[in-house]
Amino acid sequence: MADQRHDPGDAREAVRHGREPAAPAAAAEEVARAWDQLVATARRTVADGLVVGTSGNVSVRIGDTVLVTPTGVPYERLTPGDAVGVDLDGHQVLGTLRPTSELPMHLAVYRTTDARAVVHTHAPDATAVSTLVRELPLIHYMAAALGGAVRVAPYATYGTPELAENMLRALTGRSACLLQNHGTVAHGASLDQAYDRTAQLEWMCRVWLTASSVPGLTPHLLSREQVAEVGERLRGYGQHQGFTNP
């Protein structure tokens, strides 16, 4: 039986002409919205200097389908008709463009966590830190928002099962990690949350690099107990709508 491939534009056409979308079209509309959000997030990684060119990748899970950026296509060129989707086994079920070469890493996160979105970047400060330490020193209490001290996954060639395995070990009990000589991975309940965690990690890396570069001085670091205390306080922080940064 041939794969069912849904065109995200079908539901938009139904709405535009005043028709009530059928059930498959309603599902396609959800995919279309998610794809638009994914593309916007991917473009934001470029605009914010977290990736250069087509490096890095973004994905979001809709049911058992994972929408993911395609390999080798500049994000500004992506259109609603370019949606790429795979199932949790990596079989392509949507689109004709090939998915990112880092698909094994994204799928590993979805198979082992309740994540709904993953952002992978080559953020410069975070990548620099990944070459220096085995975990990001506790330079700021917002490490608690990522689950604690951020680990560095040992280097492995991009797109390989080995890299995915190394990443999963580094992510144990965490929502973000560094990839040695490579970049960052962060996941969350939404694209916004995964992106915010990515940006928070890059900021902490920049702070540590800046502080540790002052000649003759050593940055004061927090203890794991101090970070854990912040983690408890963050559970009740904000407006209970996903806000985490005090």
Side-chain angles (χ1 to χ4, degrees), residues 11-212:
R12 289 196 175 107
E13 282 299 310
V15 172
R16 187 176 298 119
H17 291 90
R19 302 194 305 271
E20 184 68 22
E29 181 65 26
E30 182 181 13
V31 168
R33 287 195 301 269
W35 177 252
D36 287 346
Q37 294 167 359
L38 180 149
V39 171
T41 302
R43 290 173 177 168
R44 189 178 175 190
T45 65
V46 177
D48 290 352
L50 301 181
V51 303
V52 176
T54 59
S55 65
N57 25 79
V58 179
S59 67
V60 62
R61 181 174 176 177
I62 304 296
D64 289 332
T65 298
V66 175
L67 302 180
V68 64
T69 47
T71 184
V73 180
Y75 299 141
E76 68 270 14
R77 296 184 189 173
L78 292 175
T79 70
D82 290 329
V84 176
V86 300
D87 63 22
L88 293 175
D89 293 321
H91 301 122
Q92 190 159 351
V93 297
L94 178 65
T96 57
L97 296 174
R98 289 189 297 121
T100 174
S101 57
E102 294 289 14
L103 185 61
M105 199 160 59
H106 288 259
L107 293 180
V109 173
Y110 292 120
R111 290 178 188 139
T112 57
T113 74
D114 59 358
R116 308 306 292 183
V118 176
V119 175
H120 164 51
T121 78
H122 293 178
D125 292 306
T127 302
V129 170
S130 79
T131 70
L132 299 172
V133 294
R134 301 177 78 169
E135 71 175 26
L136 174 63
L138 292 172
I139 194 70
H140 196 274
Y141 65 79
M142 280 306 292
L146 304 179
V150 177
R151 306 183 188 100
V152 178
Y155 179 80
T157 304
Y158 79 90
T160 61
E162 183 184 2
L163 176 59
E165 291 167 7
N166 292 350
M167 174 206 66
L168 282 181
R169 285 193 291 271
L171 279 176
T172 302
R174 305 289 187 269
S175 56
C177 73
L178 300 175
L179 306 175
Q180 192 174 60
N181 295 86
H182 187 154
T184 70
V185 172
H187 64 76
S190 66
L191 282 164
D192 283 344
Q193 187 177 62
Y195 186 86
D196 288 347
R197 287 170 171 171
T198 301
Q200 187 71 58
L201 176 55
E202 172 70 349
W203 179 83
M204 287 192 295
C205 287
R206 185 180 309 123
V207 169
W208 182 72
L209 287 172
T210 301
S212 60

Side-chain angles (χ1 to χ4, degrees), residues 212-229:
S212 60
S213 68
V214 178
L217 296 176
T218 301
H220 175 268
L221 300 178
L222 301 176
S223 68
R224 292 181 184 273
E225 291 74 21
Q226 287 172 320
V227 172
E229 180 182 356

